[in-house]
């Protein structure tokens, strides 16, 4: 099982994620590319550290929404969105390659991530942007999403992702952040859910149902308070359960 976290979510003098601490325990880093968070200096610093520690670098692309942290619904024309996705990947690739690494995968963030679960046009635009940027990076997304289906159609590696600290609907999608209980705050519960998804391939839904989860990568959100300590606990619990923690890309 891969363990990923959202990193580089700072801007100028403002910081949010504990990048150094998270890079000590995750295997893949979803690096903000400047549209919901991140700037050139932040991207460079995270890529340098990730490369030094052997952590895979991924482009966390989003709608252009710094004020809303990429979590507000937006209607962006498909052609414009494809160009903006390519732009973000290209910006991160400069720093990844300068550090001796590469952009191994692409993962949408926030509102875009949720939109491409069901919206085929927006999913197609994201994949068009990935192809426009060049290379053949993997695409990380929710199982059953239109995004992963489109990636497979275009011959890109499609990697299924689960979330350690997010609640699931009975349909296997994420409970919207605006609803009560969308984020799981109890650390013991997060650890239990993580092991259950990795070992048993299942997680409890918000309604108490048992939901099948087939995932190659597990996300711990970097903007959660105490995220680095939580990620360390999750990794230790996975390894104790006999799960080999390694990057998918």
């Amino acid at each position: 099982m891969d363990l990923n976290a959202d990193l580089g979510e700072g801007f100028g003098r403002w910081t949010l994620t504990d990048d150094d601490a998270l890079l000590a325990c995750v295997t893949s880093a979803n690096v903000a590319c400047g549209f919901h968070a991140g700037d050139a200096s932040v991207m460079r610093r995270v890529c340098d550290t990730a490369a030094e520690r052997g952590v895979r670098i991924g482009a966390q692309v989003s709608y252009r929404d710094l004020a809303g942290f990429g979590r507000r619904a937006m209607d962006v024309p498909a052609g414009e969105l494809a160009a903006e996705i390519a732009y973000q990947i290209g910006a991160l690739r400069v720093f990844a390659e300068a550090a001796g690494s590469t952009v191994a995968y692409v993962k949408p963030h926030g509102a875009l991530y949720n939109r491409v679960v069901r919206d085929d046009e927006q999913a197609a635009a994201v994949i068009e942007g990935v192809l426009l940027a060049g290379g053949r990076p993997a695409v990380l997304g929710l199982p059953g999403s239109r995004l992963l289906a489109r990636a497979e159609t275009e011959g890109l590696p499609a990697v299924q992702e689960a979330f350690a600290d997010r609640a699931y609907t009975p349909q296997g999608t994420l409970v919207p952040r605006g609803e009560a209980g969308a984020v799981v705050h109890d650390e013991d519960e997060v650890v239990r859910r993580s092991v259950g998804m990795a070992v048993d391939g299942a997680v409890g839904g918000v309604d108490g149902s048992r939901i099948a989860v087939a995932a190659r990568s597990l996300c711990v959100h970097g903007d959660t308070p105490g995220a680095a300590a939580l990620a360390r606990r999750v990794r230790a619990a996975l390894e104790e359960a006999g799960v080999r923690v390694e990057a998918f890309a």
Side-chain angles (χ1 to χ4, degrees):
M1 178 69 77
D2 173 66
L3 185 61
N4 78 72
D6 304 339
L7 300 177
E9 290 182 328
F11 194 85
R13 298 176 61 185
W14 175 73
T15 59
L16 178 61
T17 48
D18 189 350
D19 298 327
D20 286 344
L22 283 164
L23 285 169
C25 58
V26 301
T27 49
S28 296
N30 317 318
V31 185
C33 298
F35 272 37
H36 77 279
D39 59 25
S41 295
V42 172
M43 284 189 280
R44 181 180 184 182
R45 183 171 62 251
V46 173
C47 285
D48 285 348
T49 305
E52 289 172 3
R53 298 182 180 178
V55 176
R56 298 296 188 271
I57 296 170
Q60 190 172 36
V61 296
S62 73
Y63 289 126
R64 187 189 293 269
D65 181 26
L66 275 176
F69 198 61
R71 288 179 175 159
R72 297 185 293 191
M74 302 183 75
D75 288 317
V76 180
E80 182 179 338
L81 180 59
E84 292 189 341
I85 297 301
Y87 180 93
Q88 293 174 77
I89 296 169
L92 185 65
R93 181 176 290 142
V94 168
F95 301 115
E97 292 183 351
S101 186
T102 188
V103 175
Y105 66 96
V106 177
K107 173 186 172 177
H109 165 80
L112 181 58
Y113 187 98
N114 292 318
R115 180 76 172 266
V116 296
V117 169
R118 66 187 187 281
D119 190 317
D120 194 59
E121 182 184 60
Q122 293 281 280
V126 170
I127 298 303
E128 180 185 346
V130 173
L131 296 172
L132 181 61
R136 308 294 292 181
V139 177
L140 188 58
L142 201 69
S145 65
R146 299 310 306 155
L147 177 73
L148 294 189
R150 180 66 65 163
E152 290 178 340
T153 297
E154 296 296 338
L156 296 172
V159 180
Q160 297 176 317
E161 179 182 33
F163 289 83
D165 51 4
R166 289 295 307 277
Y168 280 80
T169 70
Q171 294 74 38
T173 57
L174 301 179
V175 174
R177 279 185 174 269
E179 296 184 13
V183 179
V184 181
H185 295 288
D186 186 296
E187 292 190 1
D188 292 336
E189 179 64 16
V190 171
V191 173
R192 284 194 294 269
R193 289 161 60 89
S194 299
V195 173
M197 287 186 279
V199 175
D200 302 323
V203 67
V206 70
D207 65 341
S209 60
R210 184 173 173 84
I211 300 165
V213 176
R216 179 66 184 85
S217 186
L218 181 66
C219 177
V220 176
H221 279 96
D223 63 330
T224 300
L230 179 59
R232 285 193 295 271
R233 286 193 60 190
V234 168
R235 178 163 186 161
L238 291 174
E239 292 174 338
E240 186 177 341
V243 177
R244 185 169 61 185
V245 180
E246 62 182 8
F248 64 83

